[in-house]
Amino acid sequence: MNFLIYPPLTPDELEQVQAVSPDLEIVNALTEEDALAAIPQAVGMYGDLTPALLERAESLRWLQTPIAGLEHYMFPELAESDVVVSNMAKIYSDMIADHAFCFILMFARGIHLYMRRQVRGEWRKGTPVRHLGDCTLGVIGLGGIGSELARRGKAHDMRVIAVDARPHAAPVQGLDALWPQERLHDLMAEADFAVSCVPQTPETVGLIGAAEIGRMKPSAYLINISRGVVVKLDALVAALESDKIAGAALDVYETEPLPAEHPLWKMENVILTPHVAADNPHVPQRRIDTLRDNLRRYLAGEPPRNIVDKRRLF
């Protein structure tokens, strides 16, 4: 099988991939010119497929992307082609779920307020405290990240409800409710912690705006660890300034970096991190492990894992 890799892997990574099968004829292209020369013979590819490469891809049947979110990767010609595309879904799920649950724990124990008092050198006890066993976790998008977050919620005795564009997907064990995406407003009304875990698709841009935030309880928190364009920041700021919700935590934003003058920076009931929820030392090896596993499957005549709907981007 002729297999193209571009941009190139490191020598150690390439050795791991070559060890999958002696039937692999791998071109680890150092430059785009090398990739353009190799792509006509390639049956499979790992890396960044550009329109110029696709135009010359006479034999390409399968593409493994090095990323999970495809909103900036997919282009019309690829979406319309017969090339099967698989992504890196689930290699970040546990770490991003941990980041989201960290936000939940901080709000539940008032850590976000105590940290600010620490900076001021202020010894003062007392913040609003929530017992997680009394709370409802609302998971918006029950993919890999959402499923991991739901499991963490159940481990802390929370009531866990979710909405998903694929409501017939296998539910998390013990999940209290799984609704179609059309019931987002119901979830927002019931959740004490509403967490966005959806991918970026045309349907999820601006998914959470004034109407959705307006359904939330004054004691509830909104958390976004998915994509910045999902939550309308103007609507969120308006709700926070008028005490319509208790607080918010964000790792992603409509505009990145978040401008220094943005009002969210100075709000005491807001936690902000700079798009780092996926940071983890195991990510590079997980990419190679996913590639190796899918190569084995493809060579065995089995469909690769994580095949995406190219038009829905997940």
Side-chain angles (χ1 to χ4, degrees):
M1 174 185 175
N2 288 290
F3 193 76
L4 171 63
I5 298 172
Y6 177 73
L9 296 179
T10 66
D12 174 68
E13 292 170 335
L14 181 61
E15 183 178 354
Q16 292 183 62
V17 175
Q18 287 174 324
V20 168
S21 171
D23 296 328
L24 282 172
E25 297 181 21
I26 298 176
V27 173
N28 192 39
L30 298 178
T31 67
E32 185 172 4
E33 289 72 22
D34 293 339
L36 286 166
I39 192 70
Q41 294 78 39
V43 175
M45 178 180 174
Y46 172 72
D48 299 337
L49 182 68
T50 64
L53 285 169
L54 180 61
E55 187 176 358
R56 299 186 62 177
E58 301 171 5
S59 306
L60 192 65
R61 298 290 178 267
W62 165 53
L63 169 66
Q64 173 66 57
T65 74
I67 56 177
L70 300 181
E71 64 272 11
H72 302 303
Y73 186 100
M74 193 66 61
F75 52 93
E77 294 84 359
L78 177 56
E80 294 164 8
S81 74
D82 295 330
V83 177
V84 173
V85 177
S86 55
N87 69 354
M88 287 290 168
K90 300 185 179 180
I91 70 167
Y92 313 100
S93 298
D94 53 352
M95 57 196 72
I96 296 179
D98 284 346
H99 201 90
F101 210 80
C102 175
F103 286 151
I104 292 172
L105 288 171
M106 290 181 71
F107 283 134
R109 300 302 305 171
I111 303 301
H112 60 300
L113 299 176
Y114 286 124
M115 290 298 294
R116 286 175 167 83
R117 294 174 191 176
Q118 175 182 331
V119 171
R120 297 192 294 262
E122 179 182 349
W123 178 280
R124 178 161 62 92
K125 296 183 180 182
T127 70
V129 173
R130 307 294 297 275
H131 177 62
L132 293 185
D134 297 333
C135 294
T136 294
L137 169 60
V139 180
I140 305 164
L142 200 66
I145 297 168
S147 296
E148 289 291 336
L149 179 61
R151 292 186 184 97
R152 284 154 176 74
K154 293 306 296 183
H156 286 76
D157 299 322
M158 301 180 78
R159 174 176 177 255
V160 181
I161 61 178
V163 294
D164 194 86
R166 301 159 296 182
H168 302 297
V172 175
Q173 185 175 5
L175 193 70
D176 294 284
L178 174 56
W179 299 327
Q181 192 79 22
E182 291 74 21
R183 292 193 63 181
L184 175 60
H185 282 204
D186 295 329
L187 179 143
M188 300 299 281
E190 294 192 26
D192 296 291
F193 299 92
V195 186
S196 174
C197 304
V198 296
Q200 182 175 330
T201 70
E203 293 75 25
T204 61
V205 174
L207 180 68
I208 301 174
E212 291 72 30
I213 297 171
R215 297 279 294 181
M216 297 176 69
K217 297 181 285 191
S219 58
Y221 296 88
L222 177 63
I223 296 170
N224 187 14
I225 45 78
S226 58
R227 286 292 186 263
V229 297
V230 173
V231 174
K232 302 297 291 182
L233 289 190
D234 287 348
L236 176 59
V237 168
L240 290 166
E241 289 179 338
S242 57
D243 297 324
K244 295 293 179 61
I245 62 174
L250 308 170
D251 183 58
V252 290
Y253 312 85
E254 284 183 293
T255 300
E256 295 187 5
L258 186 68
E261 67 277 10
H262 200 281
L264 285 172
W265 286 111
K266 296 183 179 180
M267 293 183 175
E268 291 212 344
N269 56 345
V270 171
I271 306 172
L272 305 177
T273 54
H275 204 147
V276 294
D279 286 4
N280 189 284
H282 296 292
V283 166
Q285 186 59 49
R286 288 184 182 185
R287 284 198 184 97
I288 298 302
D289 291 344
T290 298
L291 172 59
R292 284 163 49 87
D293 180 54
N294 273 346
L295 274 168
R296 291 191 190 97
R297 295 174 65 85
Y298 195 88
L299 290 168
E302 302 173 7
R305 301 186 192 278
N306 304 335
I307 292 177
V308 301
D309 182 327
K310 292 186 288 185
R311 289 168 178 80
R312 301 186 75 185
L313 302 181
F314 66 90

